[in-house]
Amino acid sequence: MKTEALFNESRVICPGMVYLPSFADSDQLHQALQPVLTASPLRQMQTSRGFPMSVRTSNCGTAGWISDRKGYRYTAIDPLTEQPWPDMPEVFSSLAMRAATEAGYDGFRPDACLINYYVPGTQMGAHQDKDERDFDQPIVSVSLGIDARFFVIGPERKGTSTAVDLSDGDVVVFGGASRKFYHGVRKLKSATHAVWGECRCNLTFRKAL
Ligand code: MD6
Ligand code: FE
């Protein structure tokens, strides 16, 4: 479904990575997220070294991304509840498909949505997303709540970074040449959002399996 564009202008951050400001309906996503988090609550996953991650995480969709002492992978079952991850709400998948199409990636059908919650002072170190099967599929990333500075480096961890300040409702589509670029989120500054409170929620939609 192609709808009227809600954003002011889109921008290519680096080859294959498209920024769609104010593309998402934050209130609608907030509402749809609540039953998901009741079914599969946010939790601090363990890194492979046994440390708790600073962000709190959950998932919805047929596959969910997890981290534990055995490493990173996608599972069909939530290890906390021992039940399948909650279904991906229709408003989530339709938004992700529209954003991918807008960015030039037609036919994207996400099966996994990783939900990350940040509070002020937390960050996400430089990493690559490479646990998915098909790197021809993009990742659609939705920023909700308080602002954060997202950075992207390149195919190597070392090097100069390009930063983008992401606000509530902003979407970044990450694909093509930049699909495996190192990226992360700088330490969040204190702020409060009217709906999301003192936190930032990032939804990343993937075709994992
Ligand atoms: C974040 N995002 O924005 C972290 N990964 O909180 C990611 O790690 C990310 O934005 C893959 C593709 C897009 C992303
Ligand atoms: Fe990532």
Side-chain angles (χ1 to χ4, degrees):
M1 180 182 62
K2 181 117 171 126
T3 57
E4 193 179 10
L6 298 168
F7 53 91
N8 299 319
E9 64 179 308
S10 68
R11 188 156 68 80
V12 176
I13 300 167
C14 56
M17 190 181 300
V18 181
Y19 172 52
L20 305 171
S22 303
F23 192 84
D25 182 336
S26 174
D27 288 356
Q28 183 190 50
L29 297 177
H30 184 267
Q31 201 167 21
L33 186 59
Q34 300 318 306
V36 168
L37 296 182
T38 301
S40 274
L42 294 167
R43 80 295 303 263
Q44 278 175 291
M45 294 201 186
Q46 301 275 115
T47 64
S48 57
R49 293 177 169 186
F51 296 110
M53 295 181 67
S54 67
V55 300
R56 291 186 304 149
T57 298
S58 188
N59 290 278
C60 59
T62 54
W65 183 89
I66 67 163
S67 173
D68 62 16
R69 294 306 298 255
K70 289 186 264 176
Y72 305 141
R73 64 200 176 281
Y74 285 93
T75 64
I77 300 294
D78 177 350
L80 183 66
T81 64
E82 299 179 335
Q83 299 294 315
W85 297 102
D87 287 340
M88 193 183 297
E90 225 283 313
V91 292
F92 278 30
S93 42
S94 62
L95 164 69
M97 292 188 288
R98 263 191 297 123
T101 300
E102 194 63 49
Y105 300 100
D106 253 323
F108 177 61
R109 296 288 177 272
D111 57 10
C113 172
L114 171 64
I115 303 157
N116 278 149
Y117 262 71
Y118 299 73
V119 293
T122 58
Q123 61 188 323
M124 171 83 68
H127 66 277
Q128 295 174 295
D129 284 65
K130 50 179 187 182
D131 302 314
E132 300 74 30
R133 286 204 186 134
D134 181 1
F135 299 125
D136 290 338
Q137 296 290 327
I139 296 179
V140 174
S141 169
V142 181
S143 289
L144 300 162
I146 67 176
D147 293 358
R149 177 159 289 182
F150 178 80
F151 65 93
V152 53
I153 307 169
E156 311 288 338
R157 189 186 291 275
K158 288 267 163 65
T160 55
S161 56
T162 303
V164 194
D165 286 327
L166 298 176
S167 299
D168 184 51
D170 289 355
V171 174
V172 175
V173 184
F174 213 95
S178 62
R179 177 61 180 74
K180 284 196 279 182
F181 279 12
Y182 280 88
H183 60 278
V185 177
R186 302 288 182 212
K187 196 175 280 191
L188 250 75
K189 294 197 178 121
S190 255
T192 305
H193 183 273
V195 173
W196 295 87
E198 205 179 7
C199 85
R200 170 173 182 262
C201 174
N202 176 248
L203 304 175
T204 43
F205 294 93
R206 298 125 190 281
K207 177 82 177 78
L209 306 179

